[in-house]
Amino acid sequence: MIDVRLLRSDLESVRARMTRRGKPDLLAQIDDAVALDARLRSLAVERDDLRRRVNDLSKQVGQLRREGRAADADAAMADSRRLGDEEKSLAATTAETEEQLRQVLLRIPNLISDEAPDGNSDADNPVVRVHGFDPSSIADHQRVPHWETGVALGILDNERAAKISGAMFSMLRGAGATMSRALCQLALDRNADAFEEIRPPTLVTSATLTSTGQLPKFADDAYSIERDDLWCIPTAEVPLTSISAGEILDEAELPRRFMAYSPCYRRESGSAGRDTRGLLRGHEFDKVEILAYAAPEQGRALLDEFVARAAGTIEALGLPYRVVAICAGDLGQSHHLSFDIEVFAPGADRWLEVSSVSWFSDYQARRADIRFRRAGQKGTEHVHTLNGSALAVPRVLAAILEYYRQPDGSVLVPEALRPYMRGITVIGPR
RNA sequence: GGAAGGAUGCCCGAGUGGCCGAAGGGACACGCCUCGAAAGCGUGCGAGGUUCUUGCCUCCGUGGGUUCAAAUCCCACUCCUUCCGCCA
């Protein structure tokens, strides 16, 4: 949620920054918010004044009673009752306006960073840097899509996954399942120096899903369990962000860092049939997420650190990758500034997004009400939140099955994964 | 799933209709004292909104209700604890 006060103090700058997202109807939403806010404030002033008078009269009633002036007390009581009725109807109007404003505000996206490049869609995202990518070094035996290799080696069985759960679910077997787990282990171990490991719940309440920005706007993208009013998390970002919801932290404990392995559930409602072969996109996948609560001034540097950590793990796996800056028009609703890491998959012959690292400024913290107190100062501020995939398993696994494929059709296990592979160094046909 | 008890400020804890935004203690901060510290003493110490300051409004798990007036009474819900049942 953006700060309403910004709409009052610096409306033009808000409008200018929203314009960069390239969504014309946003400006109308902002106008709605401004109007509702103005209305709310005048209503609140009026309501508070009535309350003050009711409170005063009520106190007088008690006072007069104690002094034995029953007639005066009755008169004050009558006055108070009359004002109270007025207050009640005004309070109802105010509450209604408040809720309207909240609903509008929940749908207004975050202010984007000046640093985010211009652009309308992912096609405009500039490549920031490329590592280890040399198309001329890629041999024919690597140009086999992982869904073929995976089936040939008996480690990927999407047919049976579909039998069990329907389309867009996948099942790994044998060394494939082991490698999936190994990738999680690797990502967790590489970040254990700075992050507390969490095993969060993966079913969450509506309030939790609202804090990170998935609700109310993107309800169709998440699985819901209506009978119990719970939602399946689309990413561990959701529970991790809400760990300190409603809490006030000390400046000294910032940045506060968490990491978590979790399954992630996505309905992928808009993308059925697109890029769904093999392990490219599924309703359920494993991911290791890293996240931090930070003081505002720590945000930018942490974003770089998160990108470096995610890229470092890909590098340790020996995979070619590039870092892409997300342009203004492609930035998600909650995002302030984001970078994606993409791995080149020679068999699928394309770059796969394997990590998205984002800085949310105070947008999520305001929704989740996560604040901190600066040492020696009165009052509180909202923290900034950042998060990123330390490693998204299926796509990295896909890239490995292609990049590490050998002329005889087997797949070499990357050096970095071997400690977690029970001695398997090569995945051959069964 | 059934039964009972509970939820108050950073923590503990008092408060059963008005004088309670909330006693008392602890923790914390500052000052005094001290060579320094501990102990002692004094002062301060929740959050949000609105406001030039003063002030005013809101918040005692959440949401409703009763009342001139609610932390306090009523209803519903959530969570915690204990017991029973069930269960990986």
Side-chain angles (χ1 to χ4, degrees):
Chain A
M1 207 144 49
I2 62 169
D3 188 351
V4 225
R5 281 169 296 193
L6 265 181
L7 296 178
R8 320 206 280 241
S9 64
D10 205 0
L11 182 58
E12 277 325 298
S13 135
V14 172
R15 293 176 66 97
R17 291 166 86 181
M18 286 297 173
T19 304
R20 291 193 63 217
R21 281 187 179 266
K23 310 241 163 55
D25 56 323
L26 264 182
L27 292 182
Q29 288 181 53
I30 290 170
D31 290 343
D32 284 352
V34 169
L36 283 167
D37 177 53
R39 176 143 181 264
L40 176 61
R41 275 190 301 160
S42 78
L43 283 169
V45 166
E46 230 180 295
R47 178 201 57 191
D48 287 354
D49 187 59
L50 271 173
R51 281 183 176 168
R52 197 204 78 231
R53 290 156 68 188
V54 171
N55 289 345
D56 282 351
L57 284 166
S58 296
K59 276 189 187 136
Q60 282 174 34
V61 172
Q63 184 75 31
L64 294 168
R65 280 268 169 79
R66 254 170 277 125
E67 293 168 8
R69 297 160 60 186
D72 291 340
D74 286 347
M77 219 146 94
D79 281 352
S80 182
R81 193 180 298 133
R82 188 174 43 74
L83 285 175
D85 290 343
E86 252 181 84
E87 189 273 341
K88 210 165 261 181
S89 88
L90 194 56
T93 314
T94 310
E96 210 174 288
T97 308
E98 212 167 340
E99 182 54 24
Q100 284 169 11
L101 175 61
R102 191 181 121 81
Q103 285 307 321
V104 171
L105 245 25
L106 279 176
R107 282 158 209 270
I108 292 177
N110 197 1
L111 296 169
I112 60 179
S113 162
D114 291 338
E115 212 186 307
D118 286 325
N120 299 314
S121 75
D122 57 355
D124 302 320
N125 293 341
V127 174
V128 177
R129 70 188 170 90
V130 182
H131 177 92
F133 177 56
D134 177 9
S136 68
S137 78
I138 292 169
D140 283 348
H141 65 263
Q142 291 175 290
R143 297 189 185 278
V144 176
H146 67 275
W147 51 88
E148 291 177 15
T149 305
V151 170
L153 296 178
I155 59 173
L156 178 65
D157 189 352
N158 280 5
E159 249 176 69
R160 287 198 174 83
K163 176 172 76 180
I164 297 167
S165 301
M168 284 180 76
F169 283 90
S170 66
M171 181 160 74
L172 294 164
R173 296 179 157 234
T178 307
M179 188 179 277
S180 168
R181 207 159 37 76
L183 284 165
C184 291
Q185 289 283 4
L186 176 73
L188 288 167
D189 283 359
R190 285 183 58 91
N191 292 294
D193 59 310
F195 293 79
E196 179 190 353
E197 182 172 353
I198 305 288
R199 169 53 245 227
T202 56
L203 301 182
V204 300
T205 62
S206 298
T208 299
L209 206 63
T210 303
S211 292
T212 26
Q214 283 81 13
L215 292 180
K217 231 176 143 179
F218 303 103
D220 286 348
D221 296 332
Y223 286 101
S224 72
I225 299 163
E226 286 178 26
R227 189 162 65 154
D228 296 301
D229 190 30
L230 289 169
W231 301 76
C232 303
I233 59 167
T235 155
E237 159 193 346
V238 170
L240 291 185
T241 299
S242 285
I243 284 179
S244 290
E247 297 179 10
I248 298 171
L249 308 172
D250 285 331
E251 183 181 18
E253 51 185 329
L254 299 178
R256 199 138 183 237
R257 300 154 177 262
F258 301 109
M259 63 175 180
Y261 149 77
S262 85
C264 303
Y265 301 93
R266 299 184 182 182
R267 291 187 67 225
E268 301 290 357
S269 49
S271 54
R274 270 190 63 220
D275 311 332
T276 58
R277 304 199 66 179
L279 295 165
L280 294 181
R281 184 188 299 278
H283 288 313
E284 175 182 355
F285 64 97
D286 286 331
K287 181 161 65 63
V288 172
E289 184 81 359
I290 52 178
L291 177 142
Y293 303 149
E297 65 275 13
Q298 296 169 331
R300 188 59 188 86
L302 273 169
L303 183 65
D304 284 343
E305 185 197 319
F306 276 32
V307 171
R309 282 179 178 273
T313 301
I314 297 302
E315 211 170 314
L317 287 166
L319 296 169
Y321 69 89
R322 64 184 188 184
V323 179
V324 167
I326 307 303
C327 73
D330 192 30
L331 223 40
Q333 126 151 334
S334 307
H335 303 60
H336 179 61
L337 183 61
S338 299
F339 294 95
D340 278 2
I341 293 169
E342 302 180 341
V343 163
F344 187 72
D349 191 28
R350 41 178 297 186
W351 293 92
L352 303 179
E353 180 194 325
V354 296
S355 176
S356 185
V357 178
S358 304
W359 177 18
F360 299 87
S361 62
D362 60 0
Y363 188 84
Q364 294 181 326
R366 184 165 278 113
R367 286 170 165 246
D369 191 26
I370 307 166
R371 289 169 288 162
F372 77 103
R373 201 189 313 271
R374 292 200 188 266
Q377 279 188 33
K378 251 193 117 59
T380 55
E381 292 175 49
H382 286 97
V383 301
H384 278 203
T385 54
L386 296 106
N387 65 53
S389 357
L391 194 147
V393 172
R395 289 182 187 167
V396 173
L397 185 56
I400 290 172
L401 294 183
E402 298 178 3
Y403 197 74
Y404 280 89
R405 188 170 183 275
Q406 303 184 94
D408 67 356
S410 65
V411 171
L412 211 57
V413 174
E415 213 50 70
L417 288 181
R418 293 192 186 174
Y420 309 107
M421 288 294 293
R422 293 199 206 99
I424 303 171
T425 55
V426 178
I427 304 174
R430 308 187 66 180

